[in-house]
Structure formats: structure tokens, C-alpha cells
Amino acid sequence: TFVDKGWKGLFIEGDIKRFQDLKKNYENEKNIICLNEFIDKDKNNLDQIVEKGNIKEIDILSIDIDGKDLPIWKTLNKIKPKVVVIEFNLSIPFDMDYEDNVGGNGSSFLAINNFAKKKDYELIYVTATNLIFISKKFNNGEFEVWSETKIMENLKPLRLGFNNYGEMLFFLDKKLENREVFRFP
């Protein structure tokens, strides 16, 4: 792990039970700081946390806040991380520019990717839940930049639609999937 290689880290967890588990996992690591706080785009945003912690550099920023990830990333302007890992909602169509400001839904690929491009980041990897960006300057052409086509080819996400009877249709790799994925009431 990065900790084993001497990296420093700041972990923030708002939920008290999860925070206790986090603290227990890193109790013997002098280079790890654990904070029991909620991040908020107005009252406790990333710029404020960076300032309070006197943080001058971030190599990897990972944001997983169950929906409000993009609005929280937008609060970091004082420093520029080299790599950003951010959660997104794979079920939102890739041509939909949707930013979740409430939480619970997650932002779309397009909304996050558009913001990242404005900040000079390149998309270098995608999982079913996360987008991984690298600063264009730091990347310097070393990692391939992923296109929407490459994402679709690698993830083969389950897509859905409705027929004329209001029944849900599921598509996998451009073919109708006849198995029941989940049932609506």
C-alpha cells in the first residue's frame, strides 16, 4: 500500500462507526491523519480543509461521498492534485450532463468529465463506480486517455429502456437481455 511506502494521508469520514473502524485500521501509522468530519461545499469544503491542515500538495485525491462528489471536487481550488479518483453513476446515459447537488444519485460521466477537462485533467481509467483522472501536465502522454467508446467497450454497462407496455427492457452489449435483473413493484 501507499502507507507502507511512506506516503502521508488524510482520511475524512463523517459516519462515527466507520470513522472508528478507520481510526482502528491506522492507529499505528504516524503518517496518517483521520478526521471525523462531514465535508460540505459551503461550511467545510476541500479548500477549507486544505487550509486548516496546511496541506501544500496532494498526489491522489479520492472522493466517494455517495452522490455529491462533483460539487465537492469543485470546492478545491487552492491546490491541484496529480490524480483524482471520483465516484460517478454509470446508469446515467453518457450524453446526459447531470450534476447531483443533493446526494444519493451521483453525477453523470459527462458532467464530471466536462469539469475535469476544464481543470486540465485527462481520463485514464474507469471502473463500474469510479473515474480516474490525471493532471494533463503530470501525465505528459504517459497514460492513454479513455474515450466514451473505450469505456463502453470495457465496462459493457447494463442499459435500460421501456417498451410500449411500460415494461422495463435491459440491454447488454447492444442486445436485449431476457433475464430478470430486478423486479419493479
Side-chain angles (χ1 to χ4, degrees), residues 125-143:
Y125 197 77
V126 179
T127 71
T129 55
N130 291 298
L131 303 171
I132 302 174
F133 294 95
I134 190 167
S135 163
K136 187 183 275 189
K137 183 179 174 185
F138 184 68
N139 186 23
N140 199 24
E142 186 173 339
F143 293 97

Side-chain angles (χ1 to χ4, degrees), residues 15-166:
D15 180 84
I16 190 65
K17 168 107 175 62
R18 289 182 182 162
F19 174 74
Q20 294 301 332
D21 292 340
L22 176 70
K23 199 171 159 185
K24 187 177 174 184
N25 287 340
Y26 293 102
E27 64 190 351
N28 297 322
E29 299 294 340
K30 64 180 177 16
N31 287 334
I32 301 298
I33 298 168
C34 298
L35 296 178
N36 182 214
E37 297 181 8
F38 284 99
I39 298 176
D40 181 88
K41 64 182 183 179
D42 300 315
K43 294 178 264 177
N44 194 31
N45 66 42
L46 291 179
D47 273 348
Q48 292 165 334
I49 290 168
V50 161
E51 200 169 287
K52 280 191 292 189
N54 197 27
I55 298 168
K56 304 292 183 209
E57 181 180 18
I58 297 176
D59 289 321
I60 300 173
L61 173 67
S62 179
I63 306 173
D64 182 349
I65 306 178
D66 299 332
K68 296 182 281 185
D69 310 82
L70 179 55
I72 293 301
W73 185 12
K74 288 181 172 182
T75 68
L76 183 62
N77 297 296
K78 293 184 183 283
I79 57 178
K80 183 175 183 171
K82 292 176 183 156
V83 175
V84 176
V85 179
I86 184 167
E87 192 174 38
F88 80 114
N89 187 333
L90 180 64
S91 69
I92 299 173
F94 280 34
D95 63 345
M96 179 68 62
D97 190 344
Y98 171 75
E99 179 176 336
D100 183 357
N101 285 299
V102 178
N105 295 321
S107 296
S108 69
F109 159 78
L110 187 60
I112 296 171
N113 197 44
N114 285 343
F115 175 74
K117 284 179 179 178
K118 285 181 194 168
K119 291 290 197 176
D120 269 344
Y121 282 93
E122 297 174 324
L123 181 67
I124 59 165
Y125 197 77
V126 179
T127 71
T129 55
N130 291 298
L131 303 171
I132 302 174
F133 294 95
I134 190 167
S135 163
K136 187 183 275 189
K137 183 179 174 185
F138 184 68
N139 186 23
N140 199 24
E142 186 173 339
F143 293 97
E144 174 188 0
V145 178
W146 280 40
S147 66
E148 287 178 39
T149 304
K150 181 164 179 154
I151 296 167
M152 297 300 280
E153 288 171 357
N154 280 274
L155 294 182
K156 296 185 182 5
L158 189 66
R159 306 318 259 173
L160 55 98
F162 296 92
N163 66 15
N164 293 339
Y165 306 107

